[in-house]
Amino acid sequence: MSSISLCGILETNKLVRPNFDNWYRYLRIVLMHKKLIYVIDKPTKMFPTENDVKGTKALFGSKLTGNSPVAPYVNRMIDLIEELEKLGCKLGKELSQDLILQSLSESFSQFVINFNIHKMDCDLATLRDKEQDETLLTATDSSL
């Protein structure tokens, strides 16, 4: 069968409400013949919205400043990571931990070194608690 006669099928059987099933079958036949069936078979791509892009920029561009409290900051980071995962962007545990650790201020450098040396295996909430403990220890040491 030639392409012209296949396209003629679609010309003569235009889409009208009652003939959708037949029209769709003919469309699939024509697309298979032209090796374009993937056009209707593959799932559509979801493009990120403006809010998704802002969330990603906020996650990768954030930095804990000087004397800011650690727990609320890390909670915000965890929320941003979870939002990305809901959108289908799985960062994984190690990358998520690294993002949080690298965004900490310089006062946490010893904590980051210890964390990496001992290869601590913990979830993000446990990481937040350990950072909070480190903050309390640092505050106690500086007051002595």
Side-chain angles (χ1 to χ4, degrees):
M1 223 185 239
S2 71
S3 290
I4 296 171
S5 63
L6 283 175
C7 291
I9 291 173
L10 292 178
E11 283 295 322
T12 57
N13 297 303
K14 294 189 185 230
L15 177 62
V16 189
R17 178 170 245 145
N19 75 339
F20 175 79
D21 293 332
N22 290 334
W23 173 84
Y24 186 70
R25 185 178 28 231
Y26 294 139
L27 176 65
R28 290 188 62 81
I29 291 169
V30 171
L31 291 175
M32 278 191 269
H33 180 71
K34 294 190 173 218
K35 295 181 176 43
L36 295 172
I37 193 68
Y38 68 89
V39 172
I40 59 173
D41 282 347
K42 70 178 181 181
T44 59
K45 289 186 177 180
M46 298 291 291
F47 292 101
T49 64
E50 187 66 29
N51 288 338
D52 301 339
V53 173
K54 286 180 184 176
T56 306
K57 285 182 181 179
L59 176 64
F60 285 92
S62 65
K63 186 80 174 158
L64 180 66
T65 56
N67 296 331
S68 299
V70 177
Y73 172 77
V74 175
N75 282 338
R76 184 173 152 266
M77 294 284 288
I78 292 171
D79 289 343
L80 290 170
I81 290 168
E82 288 173 351
E83 280 181 39
L84 279 178
E85 288 179 354
K86 286 178 188 173
L87 295 170
C89 180
K90 303 279 185 207
L91 295 179
K93 186 166 88 171
E94 189 174 343
L95 179 58
S96 300
Q97 288 174 348
D98 287 345
L99 273 172
I100 292 172
L101 292 173
Q102 289 178 0
S103 70
L104 296 175
S105 62
E106 193 61 37
S107 63
F108 284 91
S109 62
Q110 190 60 46
F111 172 78
V112 173
I113 291 170
N114 289 340
F115 187 89
N116 288 325
I117 287 175
H118 298 296
K119 305 247 186 258
M120 294 181 189
D121 187 31
C122 60
D123 60 0
L124 296 177
T126 307
L127 176 63
R128 178 199 55 225
D129 296 339
K130 289 179 186 230
E131 290 168 345
Q132 183 67 31
D133 293 343
E134 178 71 18
T135 304
L136 294 173
L137 288 174
T138 307
T140 305
D141 290 345
S142 64
S143 67
L144 294 177

